[in-house]
């Protein structure tokens, strides 16, 4: 099994920055994809950014140029650097992992971390 532990959320003023981290623990798996989703009150969960094993990244249009996803393979950790934050970025942010146990693919979610952008 895999466990995901997130950290780094909080309250920040508009224009500020935050860095989220998500560390995966467990054994017997390889990581196909790690990424971040978010869910604001009354809205569906949406993809924010993802990074695949080869390092290719993708972003939601709403965060391009402001957010950067990166990964430390040695630590099985994914990061989300969020700059120029806006009130509309306020949401619970969830880490997502797609892991391969041999030929079996499984998805996992973190517990979520609150990001609030407000003056």
């Amino acid at each position: 099994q895999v466990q995901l532990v997130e950290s780094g959320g909080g309250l920040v003023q508009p224009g500020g920055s935050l860095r989220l981290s998500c560390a995966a623990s467990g054994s017997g798996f390889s990581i196909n994809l790690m990424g971040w989703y978010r869910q604001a009150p009354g809205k569906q969960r949406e993809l924010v950014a993802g990074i695949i094993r080869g390092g290719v990244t993708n972003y939601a249009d709403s965060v391009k140029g402001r957010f950067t996803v990166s990964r430390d393979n040695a630590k099985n950790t994914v990061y989300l650097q969020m700059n120029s934050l806006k009130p509309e970025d306020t949401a619970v942010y969830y880490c997502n992992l797609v892991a391969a146990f041999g030929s079996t693919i499984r998805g996992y979610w973190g517990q979520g971390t609150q990001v609030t952008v407000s003056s």
Side-chain angles (χ1 to χ4, degrees), residues 19-22 34-36 49-51 55 57 59 67-73 77-81:
R19 189 192 194 207
L20 305 183
S21 300
C22 173
M34 293 188 81
W36 295 92
I51 182 166
T57 58
Y59 297 90
F67 291 10
T68 302
V69 63
S70 61
R71 181 174 150 185
D72 185 331
N73 292 327
T77 299
V78 64
Y79 305 95
L80 185 67
Q81 178 66 44

Side-chain angles (χ1 to χ4, degrees), residues 2 4 24 29-35 37 51-53 71 78 95-101 104-109:
V2 175
L4 301 176
F29 67 96
S30 60
I31 297 175
N32 286 357
L33 179 148
M34 293 188 81
Y37 286 71
I51 182 166
I52 65 173
R53 194 186 313 177
R71 181 174 150 185
V78 64
C95 177
N96 175 253
L97 165 68
V98 177
F101 293 83
T104 300
I105 306 298
R106 293 176 181 162
Y108 298 88
W109 292 96

Side-chain angles (χ1 to χ4, degrees), residues 86-116:
K86 305 175 181 180
E88 51 264 42
D89 295 318
T90 296
V92 178
Y93 284 69
Y94 295 92
C95 177
N96 175 253
L97 165 68
V98 177
F101 293 83
S103 60
T104 300
I105 306 298
R106 293 176 181 162
Y108 298 88
W109 292 96
Q111 79 279 9
T113 185
Q114 177 71 46
V115 171
T116 302

